[in-house]
Amino acid sequence: MIYAAGVDVGSTQTKAVIINEKREIIARALTDTGANVTRAADRGFAEALQAAGLKREDVAYVVGTGYGRYKVTFGDAQITEISCHARGANFLFPKTRTVIDMGGQDAKGIHTGPDGDVKDFVMNDKCAAGTGRFLANAAEALSLSLDDIGEIAMRAKNPVRLTTVCTVFVESDIMSYLAQGKKVEDILGGVHSAIAARTISLVRRVGI
């Protein structure tokens, strides 16, 4: 059996996946990136190998991607996450023409072709406004787990209107609404509505 692996070193989390020659996922790993990017890449790959019961020499080809892709020192190739998203989306859903990548520190809109090629892309990388960090800060302000806020937001009846999608100021916005007696689900509904509106305006620049 021949195996290949991908290691995506993102700004906040590092992901690793191992597939067999049938393109079936046999193992995956998720770990915090932290300050040492090279160590995060090594750790993510090692955890995936352990989950698969394989040794490094068992994997024939490794691709590094993400903002820390060049820190995947054991990789055979480095490919941008934008290209990987387009190819992966096309493989899973061949009719895909628009991909949204909501990262920890940036957001990307990608226009793809019928073969999974990148036709155009746009990214919000000037600040973390309207990204995963924005959602994480909102969760922290409400003393909730990031994993739980989506489900809670779905229960919103009257979503609030946030004055900002700035990651730095979202906490003060939330505290103000809590002081007004607004429900947590309505606040989170407003948080998700704000991030959705910002994302749609971003993606419109490449066409939906």
Side-chain angles (χ1 to χ4, degrees):
M1 186 69 75
I2 299 173
Y3 301 100
V7 181
D8 175 8
V9 183
S11 59
T12 54
Q13 292 189 309
T14 293
K15 290 76 70 179
V17 70
I18 298 174
I19 62 172
N20 60 22
E21 58 195 30
K22 297 178 183 177
R23 298 188 178 187
E24 297 169 331
I25 295 172
I26 63 164
R28 68 186 77 202
L30 176 68
T31 183
D32 291 335
T33 299
N36 192 318
V37 181
T38 303
R39 189 180 300 163
D42 286 337
R43 186 170 64 248
F45 187 41
E47 288 180 8
L49 286 169
Q50 184 177 13
L54 298 173
K55 298 177 182 175
R56 287 201 177 203
E57 54 267 30
D58 295 329
V59 179
Y61 202 81
V62 180
V63 169
T65 189
Y67 101 106
R69 59 188 175 277
Y70 292 109
K71 297 299 184 180
V72 184
T73 55
F74 49 87
D76 297 288
Q78 286 77 37
I79 302 174
T80 71
E81 66 270 31
I82 293 166
S83 294
C84 288
H85 285 322
R87 293 282 174 153
N90 177 264
F91 175 76
L92 292 170
F93 305 103
K95 293 182 180 179
T96 297
R97 296 295 177 268
T98 305
V99 178
I100 296 170
D101 170 21
M102 188 64 62
Q105 302 291 348
D106 64 26
K108 304 179 189 74
I110 307 164
H111 175 48
T112 69
D115 298 321
D117 51 326
V118 177
K119 296 295 186 185
D120 197 5
F121 73 92
V122 63
M123 58 193 298
N124 159 40
D125 60 352
K126 300 301 182 190
C127 72
T131 67
R133 186 66 247 171
F134 176 76
L135 290 173
N137 280 20
E140 288 169 13
L142 292 164
S143 300
L144 294 168
S145 162
L146 186 60
D147 292 338
D148 295 334
I149 64 172
E151 184 181 346
I152 295 171
M154 293 295 286
R155 300 200 294 264
K157 295 288 191 295
N158 300 292
V160 301
R161 186 179 182 86
L162 262 67
T163 59
T164 178
V165 285
C166 175
T167 302
V168 176
F169 295 117
V170 66
E171 184 174 350
S172 60
D173 236 14
I174 287 173
M175 291 304 172
S176 174
Y177 277 123
L178 285 173
Q180 295 172 37
K182 299 293 185 183
K183 294 180 178 179
V184 170
E185 55 264 37
D186 288 336
I187 294 173
L188 285 174
V191 166
H192 282 82
S193 293
I195 207 171
R198 184 181 176 88
T199 303
I200 288 299
S201 66
L202 178 78
V203 177
R204 281 196 178 120
R205 286 158 55 188
V206 293
I208 299 176

